[in-house]
Amino acid sequence: MTTPLLERLQRVFGAAADPGKAAPMRAYMRDRFAFLGITSVPRRSLTREVLRDSPHPTEADLAATARACWALPEREYQYFACDYLIKHARMLTPASMPLLHELITTKSWWDTVDALASNVVGPIVRAFPAERSTMDAWTAPGTDLWLVRTAILHQLKYRDQTDRHRLFDYCEAWAGERDFFIRKGIGWALREYAKTDPAGVRSFVDTHPGLSPLSVREALKNLG
């Protein structure tokens, strides 16, 4: 897909490419992705330049742009797509959940998955509570682990609106998983919720000895 926005994006980002920075950025991501060599601060400035005076997108526009960015080889284009979706997260509906499923399970790594989990999936589920059933499906046995991590993390910014029963159920269901990103995600989600309900998190940790040491350490990091 080629649109004026995509053309402008590739022109602006391409002009800012720095091969000297691209190599260490690729190494940091374990050689999973090619990079242009644009670090986060200048990239966000360039993103504002790309989007300046651009027309307000529809939900379909957002999906098309995100998919086009995911098809490009350099990781900065996927970061642009995440930032674009986050910027317009309030206009997204459950119709975007298949798109997010696709983005989370394609070119998957923590950098894009975490950006989408609490900043895009989270707002959709909060605005459309029936989508909690989608989060339940994403934590079912045998599910792609990046979907599991997303469901565990999607409430990171909910604070006192957190569905604590779902959070604890998800953490309990996946407590025995050996994958680092699931264990870390459980700890992170519990640590954030502990800012709202420290006693509840401590009680959960104390009554669930099956949690990994990593999850426990992360969950209790700010509780002393």
Side-chain angles (χ1 to χ4, degrees), residues 48-128:
R48 290 192 292 272
E49 179 183 340
V50 171
L51 294 177
R52 189 178 298 123
D53 299 324
S54 63
H56 195 75
T58 64
E59 190 168 18
D61 292 334
L62 291 168
T65 298
R67 287 192 170 102
C69 288
W70 240 253
L72 295 170
E74 293 85 7
R75 194 60 165 169
E76 288 89 345
Y77 294 119
Q78 284 99 66
Y79 295 157
F80 173 87
C82 290
D83 290 340
Y84 196 38
L85 291 171
I86 291 167
K87 177 180 175 66
H88 296 288
R90 290 186 178 182
M91 65 177 292
L92 298 176
T93 70
S96 290
M97 294 303 284
L99 165 71
L100 291 164
H101 184 290
E102 178 183 334
L103 301 183
I104 290 163
T105 57
T106 307
K107 295 189 176 180
S108 309
W109 201 236
W110 62 265
D111 50 349
T112 54
V113 169
D114 292 359
L116 296 172
S118 62
N119 297 305
V120 182
V121 175
I124 293 174
V125 176
R126 180 155 50 185
F128 301 92

Side-chain angles (χ1 to χ4, degrees), residues 144-163:
D144 184 291
L145 292 181
W146 293 110
L147 293 175
V148 176
R149 181 173 167 97
T150 297
I152 290 171
L153 295 178
H154 84 277
Q155 298 189 86
L156 276 183
K157 298 184 178 181
Y158 282 22
R159 299 185 181 178
D160 60 355
Q161 296 181 40
T162 299
D163 182 338

